[in-house]
Amino acid sequence: GFFCVVLTKIEVLSRQSLSLASVRKQQIKILKNHAGLDFVKDYFDVAVPDALWTLRDECLFPISQALSHFPLAPFYSLAFPFLKIYQHEFRPSHAGALFLGMQAKKHIYQLNREELQNVFERQPIPNQSGEQGLFLARYENFPLGTAKLTERRVEVLLPRHN
């Protein structure tokens, strides 16, 4: 058989090493405007939250004016990720899709009971609508997440927990 040993250095941080200087590096950077917000407004015909916006970990986060001046400790977030930013596109995060799905007027895919059952059983859903693209998925007007409609099928994107 094959046997391999990997040695690595692990740096343990004490409370002293997490100094105020390292926390200041995490100061929230506020964006004046972002193209992703214009995309959401136009594509889903919806109002975005009246908030300040910041980028972190390839996501766009809304934050309140009151929280914008706090230093952000490593690995903490003050809001939910609204949009995921990919190289050439913006997509609502799951939390963003739930928020948008309650008020969006365009690009909504209403699942019926049989389609929802197929989602949970990881069975294919044929696209009979003829539409294609990114949609917000709903069941009985309750937001579920996003749906990707291709020429042949509907793929509902839900987070999975182990």
Side-chain angles (χ1 to χ4, degrees):
F2 180 78
F3 184 78
C4 178
V5 175
V6 177
L7 298 175
T8 185
K9 178 182 174 187
I10 298 174
E11 187 176 341
V12 178
L13 298 175
S14 68
R15 286 186 181 203
Q16 290 85 12
S17 65
L18 278 176
S19 66
L20 186 56
S22 67
V23 172
R24 280 193 185 126
K25 287 181 189 173
Q26 299 292 326
Q27 188 71 33
I28 298 169
K29 293 177 180 76
I30 302 300
L31 301 174
K32 299 273 187 228
N33 196 0
H34 195 278
L37 297 175
D38 294 334
F39 159 76
V40 168
K41 289 177 196 176
D42 296 340
Y43 192 77
F44 296 115
D45 190 17
V46 65
V48 296
D50 184 21
L52 299 175
W53 296 90
T54 187
L55 275 173
R56 185 166 182 185
D57 303 324
E58 289 96 31
C59 289
L60 192 61
F61 289 82
I63 61 169
S64 75
Q65 178 74 40
L67 294 174
S68 66
H69 301 293
F70 280 87
L72 191 58
F75 311 113
Y76 282 87
S77 174
L78 296 175
F80 63 92
F82 189 72
L83 285 180
K84 288 187 176 188
I85 301 170
Y86 297 92
Q87 203 167 20
H88 301 292
E89 67 180 340
F90 309 102
R91 280 190 240 155
S93 65
H94 184 69
L98 296 178
F99 178 87
L100 294 168
M102 291 189 279
Q103 56 179 328
K105 297 174 190 80
K106 295 189 321 189
H107 294 98
I108 302 296
Y109 187 82
Q110 285 286 357
L111 292 155
N112 62 38
R113 186 173 178 78
E114 181 183 339
E115 290 171 325
L116 184 62
Q117 190 67 41
N118 286 351
V119 169
F120 294 139
E121 293 174 358
R122 297 185 179 150
Q123 297 297 315
I125 302 170
N127 183 0
Q128 299 170 349
S129 72
E131 296 184 272
Q132 294 181 34
L134 181 67
F135 285 69
L136 297 172
R138 287 183 185 161
Y139 177 70
E140 295 184 359
N141 289 320
F142 187 83
L144 298 174
T146 55
K148 183 177 168 185
L149 278 65
T150 64
E151 186 178 320
R152 295 190 177 133
R153 65 184 203 146
V154 175
E155 181 183 356
V156 178
L157 308 170
L158 299 175
R160 294 186 186 156
H161 300 283
N162 294 333

